mmCIF file of all heavy atoms in Angstrom:
data_model
loop_
_atom_site.group_PDB
_atom_site.id
_atom_site.type_symbol
_atom_site.label_atom_id
_atom_site.label_comp_id
_atom_site.label_asym_id
_atom_site.label_seq_id
_atom_site.Cartn_x
_atom_site.Cartn_y
_atom_site.Cartn_z
ATOM 1 N N PHE N 129 96.992 131.556 113.518
ATOM 2 C CA PHE N 129 96.246 131.459 112.250
ATOM 3 C C PHE N 129 94.801 130.998 112.528
ATOM 4 O O PHE N 129 94.563 130.017 113.247
ATOM 5 C CB PHE N 129 96.899 130.420 111.333
ATOM 6 C CG PHE N 129 98.211 130.915 110.787
ATOM 7 C CD1 PHE N 129 99.383 130.757 111.539
ATOM 8 C CD2 PHE N 129 98.259 131.437 109.537
ATOM 9 C CE1 PHE N 129 100.583 131.225 111.017
ATOM 10 C CE2 PHE N 129 99.485 131.910 109.031
ATOM 11 C CZ PHE N 129 100.620 131.774 109.771
ATOM 12 N N ASP N 130 93.891 131.712 111.889
ATOM 13 C CA ASP N 130 92.524 131.286 111.915
ATOM 14 C C ASP N 130 92.216 130.798 110.467
ATOM 15 O O ASP N 130 91.898 131.619 109.618
ATOM 16 C CB ASP N 130 91.592 132.492 112.282
ATOM 17 C CG ASP N 130 90.176 132.006 112.433
ATOM 18 O OD1 ASP N 130 89.896 130.812 112.358
ATOM 19 O OD2 ASP N 130 89.302 132.876 112.727
ATOM 20 N N LEU N 131 92.501 129.546 110.289
ATOM 21 C CA LEU N 131 92.461 129.028 108.906
ATOM 22 C C LEU N 131 91.090 128.720 108.298
ATOM 23 O O LEU N 131 90.971 128.581 107.127
ATOM 24 C CB LEU N 131 93.371 127.790 108.813
ATOM 25 C CG LEU N 131 94.856 128.124 109.067
ATOM 26 C CD1 LEU N 131 95.601 126.824 109.306
ATOM 27 C CD2 LEU N 131 95.413 128.898 107.948
ATOM 28 N N ASN N 132 90.153 128.636 109.183
ATOM 29 C CA ASN N 132 88.796 128.378 108.666
ATOM 30 C C ASN N 132 87.677 128.952 109.559
ATOM 31 O O ASN N 132 87.038 128.167 110.257
ATOM 32 C CB ASN N 132 88.553 126.961 108.318
ATOM 33 C CG ASN N 132 87.264 126.740 107.576
ATOM 34 O OD1 ASN N 132 86.642 127.735 107.115
ATOM 35 N ND2 ASN N 132 86.846 125.485 107.448
ATOM 36 N N PRO N 133 87.502 130.249 109.586
ATOM 37 C CA PRO N 133 86.518 130.875 110.424
ATOM 38 C C PRO N 133 85.101 130.468 109.955
ATOM 39 O O PRO N 133 84.162 130.748 110.629
ATOM 40 C CB PRO N 133 86.691 132.361 110.238
ATOM 41 C CG PRO N 133 87.798 132.592 109.281
ATOM 42 C CD PRO N 133 88.257 131.261 108.792
ATOM 43 N N PHE N 134 85.008 129.806 108.842
ATOM 44 C CA PHE N 134 83.752 129.424 108.257
ATOM 45 C C PHE N 134 83.274 128.056 108.741
ATOM 46 O O PHE N 134 82.188 127.639 108.467
ATOM 47 C CB PHE N 134 83.793 129.461 106.713
ATOM 48 C CG PHE N 134 84.192 130.755 106.175
ATOM 49 C CD1 PHE N 134 85.480 131.209 106.138
ATOM 50 C CD2 PHE N 134 83.219 131.654 105.719
ATOM 51 C CE1 PHE N 134 85.859 132.415 105.656
ATOM 52 C CE2 PHE N 134 83.551 132.917 105.211
ATOM 53 C CZ PHE N 134 84.862 133.268 105.185
ATOM 54 N N ALA N 135 84.132 127.369 109.461
ATOM 55 C CA ALA N 135 83.826 126.058 109.932
ATOM 56 C C ALA N 135 82.601 126.042 110.868
ATOM 57 O O ALA N 135 81.666 125.286 110.703
ATOM 58 C CB ALA N 135 84.983 125.379 110.640
ATOM 59 N N SER N 136 82.624 126.912 111.859
ATOM 60 C CA SER N 136 81.545 126.893 112.850
ATOM 61 C C SER N 136 80.438 127.846 112.483
ATOM 62 O O SER N 136 79.311 127.755 112.936
ATOM 63 C CB SER N 136 82.071 127.203 114.223
ATOM 64 O OG SER N 136 82.899 128.357 114.163
ATOM 65 N N ASP N 137 80.776 128.867 111.672
ATOM 66 C CA ASP N 137 79.861 129.917 111.333
ATOM 67 C C ASP N 137 79.870 130.118 109.833
ATOM 68 O O ASP N 137 80.842 130.754 109.291
ATOM 69 C CB ASP N 137 80.261 131.193 112.068
ATOM 70 C CG ASP N 137 79.404 132.352 111.726
ATOM 71 O OD1 ASP N 137 78.498 132.196 110.912
ATOM 72 O OD2 ASP N 137 79.655 133.445 112.283
ATOM 73 N N PRO N 138 78.875 129.672 109.131
ATOM 74 C CA PRO N 138 78.862 129.788 107.683
ATOM 75 C C PRO N 138 79.006 131.195 107.116
ATOM 76 O O PRO N 138 79.435 131.369 106.009
ATOM 77 C CB PRO N 138 77.478 129.224 107.277
ATOM 78 C CG PRO N 138 76.859 128.640 108.488
ATOM 79 C CD PRO N 138 77.619 129.148 109.650
ATOM 80 N N THR N 139 78.599 132.165 107.949
ATOM 81 C CA THR N 139 78.770 133.535 107.468
ATOM 82 C C THR N 139 80.189 134.013 107.638
ATOM 83 O O THR N 139 80.599 135.001 107.056
ATOM 84 C CB THR N 139 77.861 134.540 108.232
ATOM 85 O OG1 THR N 139 78.252 134.540 109.589
ATOM 86 C CG2 THR N 139 76.423 134.066 108.209
ATOM 87 N N GLY N 140 80.994 133.250 108.386
ATOM 88 C CA GLY N 140 82.446 133.546 108.459
ATOM 89 C C GLY N 140 82.791 134.785 109.161
ATOM 90 O O GLY N 140 83.166 135.780 108.500
ATOM 91 N N ASN N 141 82.679 134.789 110.448
ATOM 92 C CA ASN N 141 83.098 135.950 111.222
ATOM 93 C C ASN N 141 84.615 135.857 111.366
ATOM 94 O O ASN N 141 85.139 135.470 112.447
ATOM 95 C CB ASN N 141 82.428 135.933 112.577
ATOM 96 C CG ASN N 141 82.761 137.157 113.389
ATOM 97 O OD1 ASN N 141 83.630 137.960 112.978
ATOM 98 N ND2 ASN N 141 82.101 137.282 114.523
ATOM 99 N N TYR N 142 85.337 136.188 110.321
ATOM 100 C CA TYR N 142 86.776 135.973 110.340
ATOM 101 C C TYR N 142 87.519 136.882 111.252
ATOM 102 O O TYR N 142 88.752 136.763 111.397
ATOM 103 C CB TYR N 142 87.309 136.024 108.925
ATOM 104 C CG TYR N 142 87.158 137.333 108.191
ATOM 105 C CD1 TYR N 142 87.979 138.371 108.421
ATOM 106 C CD2 TYR N 142 86.112 137.498 107.249
ATOM 107 C CE1 TYR N 142 87.819 139.562 107.720
ATOM 108 C CE2 TYR N 142 85.963 138.686 106.578
ATOM 109 C CZ TYR N 142 86.799 139.729 106.830
ATOM 110 O OH TYR N 142 86.654 140.937 106.190
ATOM 111 N N GLY N 143 86.841 137.813 111.918
ATOM 112 C CA GLY N 143 87.500 138.644 112.882
ATOM 113 C C GLY N 143 87.444 138.116 114.227
ATOM 114 O O GLY N 143 88.013 138.693 115.188
ATOM 115 N N ARG N 144 86.891 136.900 114.416
ATOM 116 C CA ARG N 144 86.679 136.351 115.722
ATOM 117 C C ARG N 144 87.917 136.274 116.612
ATOM 118 O O ARG N 144 87.825 136.522 117.818
ATOM 119 C CB ARG N 144 86.083 134.937 115.672
ATOM 120 C CG ARG N 144 86.989 133.956 114.881
ATOM 121 C CD ARG N 144 86.318 132.549 114.832
ATOM 122 N NE ARG N 144 87.379 131.586 114.317
ATOM 123 C CZ ARG N 144 87.296 130.280 114.489
ATOM 124 N NH1 ARG N 144 86.290 129.734 115.134
ATOM 125 N NH2 ARG N 144 88.243 129.504 114.008
ATOM 126 N N GLY N 145 89.096 136.054 116.050
ATOM 127 C CA GLY N 145 90.326 136.003 116.830
ATOM 128 C C GLY N 145 90.586 137.311 117.520
ATOM 129 O O GLY N 145 91.130 137.323 118.636
ATOM 130 N N LEU N 146 90.199 138.365 116.912
ATOM 131 C CA LEU N 146 90.321 139.712 117.581
ATOM 132 C C LEU N 146 89.287 139.883 118.644
ATOM 133 O O LEU N 146 89.633 140.298 119.767
ATOM 134 C CB LEU N 146 90.114 140.835 116.503
ATOM 135 C CG LEU N 146 91.159 140.959 115.421
ATOM 136 C CD1 LEU N 146 90.647 141.900 114.323
ATOM 137 C CD2 LEU N 146 92.506 141.445 115.985
ATOM 138 N N TRP N 147 88.060 139.526 118.362
ATOM 139 C CA TRP N 147 86.952 139.730 119.379
ATOM 140 C C TRP N 147 87.219 138.840 120.592
ATOM 141 O O TRP N 147 86.898 139.207 121.699
ATOM 142 C CB TRP N 147 85.587 139.429 118.813
ATOM 143 C CG TRP N 147 85.352 139.954 117.470
ATOM 144 C CD1 TRP N 147 84.813 139.293 116.380
ATOM 145 C CD2 TRP N 147 85.609 141.298 116.994
ATOM 146 N NE1 TRP N 147 84.775 140.130 115.259
ATOM 147 C CE2 TRP N 147 85.234 141.360 115.627
ATOM 148 C CE3 TRP N 147 86.158 142.487 117.557
ATOM 149 C CZ2 TRP N 147 85.381 142.505 114.847
ATOM 150 C CZ3 TRP N 147 86.287 143.585 116.804
ATOM 151 C CH2 TRP N 147 85.897 143.625 115.493
ATOM 152 N N GLU N 148 87.802 137.650 120.324
ATOM 153 C CA GLU N 148 88.087 136.740 121.415
ATOM 154 C C GLU N 148 89.344 137.199 122.187
ATOM 155 O O GLU N 148 89.749 136.536 123.121
ATOM 156 C CB GLU N 148 88.335 135.390 120.856
ATOM 157 C CG GLU N 148 87.169 134.680 120.277
ATOM 158 C CD GLU N 148 87.500 133.349 119.688
ATOM 159 O OE1 GLU N 148 88.676 132.923 119.698
ATOM 160 O OE2 GLU N 148 86.564 132.622 119.229
ATOM 161 N N HIS N 149 89.984 138.237 121.752
ATOM 162 C CA HIS N 149 91.237 138.685 122.355
ATOM 163 C C HIS N 149 92.324 137.669 122.239
ATOM 164 O O HIS N 149 93.248 137.572 123.084
ATOM 165 C CB HIS N 149 91.011 139.028 123.835
ATOM 166 C CG HIS N 149 90.127 140.158 124.061
ATOM 167 N ND1 HIS N 149 90.449 141.323 124.668
ATOM 168 C CD2 HIS N 149 88.791 140.297 123.742
ATOM 169 C CE1 HIS N 149 89.415 142.126 124.704
ATOM 170 N NE2 HIS N 149 88.414 141.541 124.154
ATOM 171 N N ARG N 150 92.291 136.933 121.162
ATOM 172 C CA ARG N 150 93.326 135.892 120.975
ATOM 173 C C ARG N 150 94.569 136.632 120.400
ATOM 174 O O ARG N 150 95.657 136.248 120.701
ATOM 175 C CB ARG N 150 92.815 134.884 119.992
ATOM 176 C CG ARG N 150 93.200 133.497 120.258
ATOM 177 C CD ARG N 150 92.546 132.599 119.234
ATOM 178 N NE ARG N 150 91.268 132.079 119.693
ATOM 179 C CZ ARG N 150 91.190 130.997 120.507
ATOM 180 N NH1 ARG N 150 92.276 130.361 120.910
ATOM 181 N NH2 ARG N 150 90.025 130.512 120.871
ATOM 182 N N TYR N 151 94.327 137.541 119.576
ATOM 183 C CA TYR N 151 95.401 138.395 119.040
ATOM 184 C C TYR N 151 94.910 139.800 118.921
ATOM 185 O O TYR N 151 93.668 140.051 118.932
ATOM 186 C CB TYR N 151 95.960 137.884 117.690
ATOM 187 C CG TYR N 151 94.939 137.301 116.699
ATOM 188 C CD1 TYR N 151 94.156 138.116 115.925
ATOM 189 C CD2 TYR N 151 94.842 135.948 116.550
ATOM 190 C CE1 TYR N 151 93.280 137.611 115.020
ATOM 191 C CE2 TYR N 151 93.925 135.398 115.644
ATOM 192 C CZ TYR N 151 93.176 136.206 114.876
ATOM 193 O OH TYR N 151 92.262 135.695 113.943
ATOM 194 N N SER N 152 95.830 140.746 118.814
ATOM 195 C CA SER N 152 95.489 142.146 118.888
ATOM 196 C C SER N 152 95.768 142.886 117.587
ATOM 197 O O SER N 152 95.783 144.097 117.567
ATOM 198 C CB SER N 152 96.151 142.791 120.076
ATOM 199 O OG SER N 152 97.457 142.415 120.117
ATOM 200 N N ALA N 153 96.058 142.166 116.552
ATOM 201 C CA ALA N 153 96.286 142.748 115.240
ATOM 202 C C ALA N 153 96.213 141.596 114.277
ATOM 203 O O ALA N 153 96.434 140.418 114.669
ATOM 204 C CB ALA N 153 97.696 143.339 115.220
#
Side-chain angles (χ1 to χ4, degrees):
Chain N
F129 291 82
D130 187 1
L131 296 166
N132 190 10
F134 300 80
S136 49
D137 176 0
T139 65
N141 184 354
Y142 60 80
R144 61 179 190 158
L146 294 168
W147 317 132
E148 291 177 357
H149 296 243
R150 218 175 266 278
Y151 37 79
S152 43

